[in-house]
Amino acid sequence: EAGVTQFPSHSVIEKGQTVTLRCDPISGHDNLYWYRRVMGKEIKFLLHFVKESKQDESGMPNNRFLAERTGGTYSTLKVQPAELEDSGVYFCASSLRGTHNTEAFFGQGTRLTVV
Amino acid sequence: GESVGLHLPTLSVQEGDNSIINCAYSNSASDYFIWYKQESGKGPQFIIDIRSNMDKRQGQRVTVLLNKTVKHLSLQIAATQPGDSAVYFCAENPNYGGSQGNLIFGKGTKLSVKP
């Protein structure tokens, strides 16, 4: 079974440009999460989808970040315009819904560098 | 312990010894805790979890201890192997209700195993 996959694995963009990160969750997983880790800091929650609906987006830093999950399958996270402080590793995770202690499986992450 | 800036706390152990990694969590209302292992270039990998109604849980070569009085979590790895070398994160879920979401991660501890 394929795990959570993220694309691209690395992205280097200039300040002010737009970048779109993609996450393909494990098939059948309703829950999809975005996290990020900026240099020297903890992994921080960004938002949580249940199918195509945003369950919790309290961790989104500002309105330059837009996450979508049309059709409840893959998700995209767009940063527009990118700023230097957006550099970090962006992780996606997915889990089943409706069962106790459902394990969240993480992708390998996308390393974003804004120069 | 606490990390400063870019530096993670590091634990160096001899192969075959037992390892103990500690974590202080922040939210006294959190009722579900997870340990993750992150190897270089990969996303966090679930190791073991524990609910707040327990104080100890054992897995294969790993044991998690929870002390709610002092908000402390520890991960014990028996007979540490070179493949255990990684960064270990504790995470708390203050919104436990059937699936993991909105996890609060600790800063991580780097475990190095000497052959």
Side-chain angles (χ1 to χ4, degrees):
Chain A
E1 179 182 345
V4 177
T5 55
Q6 293 186 242
F7 182 83
S9 56
H10 295 85
S11 180
V12 181
I13 62 171
E14 293 184 349
K15 176 183 173 181
Q17 289 186 322
T18 298
V19 62
T20 300
L21 314 180
R22 172 170 171 144
C23 169
D24 285 77
I26 292 172
S27 179
H29 282 194
D30 287 346
N31 290 301
L32 186 149
Y33 313 89
W34 283 99
Y35 289 82
R36 74 170 179 178
R37 185 179 189 193
V38 297
M39 184 64 76
K41 303 290 186 181
E42 304 92 330
I43 298 172
K44 294 279 194 181
F45 168 82
L46 295 178
L47 90 160
H48 171 202
F49 283 100
V50 177
K51 296 185 179 179
E52 67 276 7
S53 300
K54 292 177 184 175
Q55 183 81 4
D56 181 352
E57 53 184 327
S58 61
M60 295 288 264
N62 51 61
N63 59 11
R64 295 186 294 104
F65 289 75
L66 175 64
E68 294 180 322
R69 193 183 182 195
T70 306
T73 54
Y74 70 91
S75 175
T76 58
L77 179 65
K78 182 163 70 174
V79 186
Q80 179 184 30
E83 298 289 344
L84 298 179
E85 64 264 25
D86 301 331
S87 295
V89 182
Y90 289 75
F91 292 105
C92 175
S94 72
S95 69
L96 289 169
R97 178 168 176 81
T99 47
H100 286 294
N101 293 345
T102 52
E103 178 182 340
F105 295 85
F106 280 78
Q108 84 282 6
T110 293
R111 181 173 295 278
L112 174 65
T113 303
V114 183
V115 297
Chain B
E2 295 293 327
S3 63
V4 178
L6 299 176
H7 302 288
L8 287 175
T10 299
L11 175 64
S12 185
V13 300
Q14 201 71 37
E15 181 179 358
D17 287 352
N18 296 333
S19 303
I20 300 176
I21 300 171
N22 297 301
C23 176
Y25 64 91
S26 58
N27 190 336
S28 57
S30 293
D31 56 5
Y32 182 58
F33 306 88
I34 311 108
W35 279 101
Y36 284 94
K37 171 186 180 183
Q38 187 179 11
E39 297 173 282
S40 180
K42 297 182 180 179
Q45 178 186 3
F46 175 96
I47 302 174
I48 191 168
D49 59 3
I50 188 168
R51 303 182 208 183
S52 59
N53 61 354
M54 304 168 69
D55 54 21
K56 180 179 180 179
R57 190 166 188 222
Q58 288 184 292
Q60 187 178 20
R61 279 201 311 118
V62 294
T63 301
V64 55
L65 299 177
L66 174 62
N67 185 331
K68 296 182 288 295
T69 302
V70 295
K71 293 192 288 186
H72 185 267
L73 199 63
S74 69
L75 177 70
Q76 300 177 0
I77 304 174
T80 313
Q81 302 168 1
D84 295 327
S85 295
V87 177
Y88 289 80
F89 294 95
C90 65
E92 59 186 297
N93 181 5
N95 299 314
Y96 175 68
S99 68
Q100 300 173 14
N102 196 0
L103 293 174
I104 302 172
F105 279 82
K107 293 186 179 180
T109 296
K110 183 176 181 180
L111 175 65
S112 294
V113 182
K114 297 176 288 187

